[in-house]
């Protein structure tokens, strides 16, 4: 059977003994325990197994905490006053501590990756809910003899598109994702040297040069994206389960 042992060391150190294969009847004479992996120098491992060219240099590097991201402390702050400690920074709302998972294993994403995902889903949801409202209002592209956009049913309208139209849509999505993918996977390990979460390389010229004003616009995008995610989910549930969202006009 496999036997995993975890032993506690002095503060700042945690020794994890690798699983050992033991015989139920007798132990192998002279067998030695596997060397412990100690967390002494950083939040991860002193000697991570990842190759140096595949993220080892970022595992124990300094990470930007959730509290420093726009919208983390302003919205749903569990302890706006720093948890009752005078002068302490606000503690962001993260009851499941998902922003701390990267400390457990490098297989878990950093806050930078989570913020990138939140922004992308928020932007897609804003486009989606806007499309539902516009299409349901009877506003659509003119179309032609081969293709019609007159179907106001947002749930069934995509099924009326011919394969050629779907090919154009998928090609555009792939092109956009490919052109904006530089530095994307570095965010998993908290490396933001190539890109900041959500920065696709265009549109920043419309932001104010003042950091406080620019962060205010970023917060607006974040809040609208969060609202849009709730909105499109509500409309989708109301379509599958009629009446799930009382008063919803997009059935």
């Amino acid at each position: 059977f496999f036997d995993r042992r975890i032993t506690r060391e002095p503060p700042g150190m945690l020794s994890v003994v690798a699983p050992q294969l033991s015989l139920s009847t007798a132990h192998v004479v002279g067998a030695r325990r596997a060397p412990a992996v100690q967390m002494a120098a950083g939040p991860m491992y002193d000697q991570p197994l990842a190759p140096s060219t595949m993220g080892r240099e970022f595992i124990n590097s300094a990470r930007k905490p959730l509290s420093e991201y726009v919208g983390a402390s302003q919205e749903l702050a569990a302890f706006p006053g720093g948890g009752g400690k005078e002068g302490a920074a606000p503690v962001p709302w993260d009851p499941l501590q998902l922003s701390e998972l990267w400390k457990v294993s490098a297989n878990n994403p950093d806050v930078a990756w989570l913020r990138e995902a939140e922004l992308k889903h928020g932007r897609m949801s804003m486009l989606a809910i806007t499309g539902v409202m516009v299409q349901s209002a009877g506003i659509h592209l003119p179309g032609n003899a081969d293709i019609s956009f007159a179907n106001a049913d947002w749930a069934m309208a995509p099924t009326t598109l011919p394969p050629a139209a779907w090919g154009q849509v998928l090609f555009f999505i792939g092109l956009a994702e490919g052109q904006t993918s530089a530095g994307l996977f570095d965010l998993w390990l908290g490396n933001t040297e190539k890109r900041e979460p959500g920065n696709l390389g265009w549109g920043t010229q419309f932001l104010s040069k003042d950091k406080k004003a620019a962060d205010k616009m970023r917060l607006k995008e974040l809040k609208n994206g969060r609202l849009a995610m709730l909105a499109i989910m509500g409309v989708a549930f109301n379509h599958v389960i009629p009446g799930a969202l009382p008063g919803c006009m997009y059935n």
Side-chain angles (χ1 to χ4, degrees):
F1 61 94
F2 286 97
D3 180 27
R4 180 184 294 273
R5 298 181 177 88
I6 300 179
T7 59
R8 297 193 177 276
E9 298 291 340
M13 298 178 63
L14 176 64
S15 297
V16 180
V17 180
Q20 299 179 28
L21 182 62
S22 302
L23 298 178
S24 58
T25 55
H27 293 283
V28 179
V29 178
R32 292 184 177 181
R33 296 171 68 91
V37 178
Q38 296 183 335
M39 298 167 61
M44 285 299 297
Y45 309 107
D46 291 336
Q47 296 296 329
L49 299 178
S52 59
T53 58
M54 296 179 64
R56 178 189 294 182
E57 60 271 29
F58 302 122
I59 289 180
N60 282 328
S61 61
R63 307 289 185 97
K64 182 179 178 180
L66 176 62
S67 58
E68 295 184 11
Y69 281 86
V70 173
S73 296
Q74 294 91 332
E75 301 300 309
L76 298 177
F79 303 103
K85 298 179 181 179
E86 185 176 355
V91 179
W93 185 78
D94 185 20
L96 299 180
Q97 294 185 319
L98 299 179
S99 62
E100 305 290 333
L101 284 177
W102 67 272
K103 296 180 180 179
V104 179
S105 169
N107 293 324
N108 297 324
D110 183 79
V111 182
W113 176 276
L114 298 177
R115 174 49 59 91
E116 171 80 18
E118 181 181 24
L119 285 172
K120 176 167 288 190
H121 283 81
R123 291 165 178 170
M124 293 176 61
S125 297
M126 286 188 282
L127 290 173
I129 193 63
T130 301
V132 168
M133 292 187 292
V134 170
Q135 187 79 2
S136 299
I139 304 173
H140 54 78
L141 297 174
N144 52 41
D146 299 322
I147 182 172
S148 174
F149 297 101
N151 191 346
D153 185 355
W154 67 270
M156 298 302 298
T159 63
T160 63
L161 295 179
W166 271 111
Q168 295 178 37
V169 172
L170 295 177
F171 175 77
F172 175 78
I173 293 175
L175 184 64
E177 289 292 327
Q179 292 293 321
T180 60
S181 62
L184 175 62
F185 295 101
D186 291 339
L187 298 178
W188 188 275
L189 293 175
N191 179 23
T192 57
E193 294 178 359
K194 294 182 180 179
R195 66 180 292 177
E196 288 291 326
N199 187 356
L200 303 181
W202 53 272
T204 54
Q205 65 270 20
F206 299 108
L207 288 174
S208 172
K209 302 302 180 182
D210 180 68
K211 185 180 184 304
K212 187 175 181 179
D215 285 347
K216 187 175 181 179
M217 292 301 297
R218 293 188 178 96
L219 179 59
K220 289 180 178 180
E221 179 190 28
L222 193 64
K223 292 171 68 176
N224 280 279
R226 290 168 175 171
L227 180 61
M229 285 188 280
L230 293 173
I232 194 63
M233 282 193 296
V235 171
F237 277 114
N238 193 72
H239 173 77
V240 178
I241 309 175
L245 184 62
C248 180
M249 58 187 297
Y250 305 111
N251 293 319

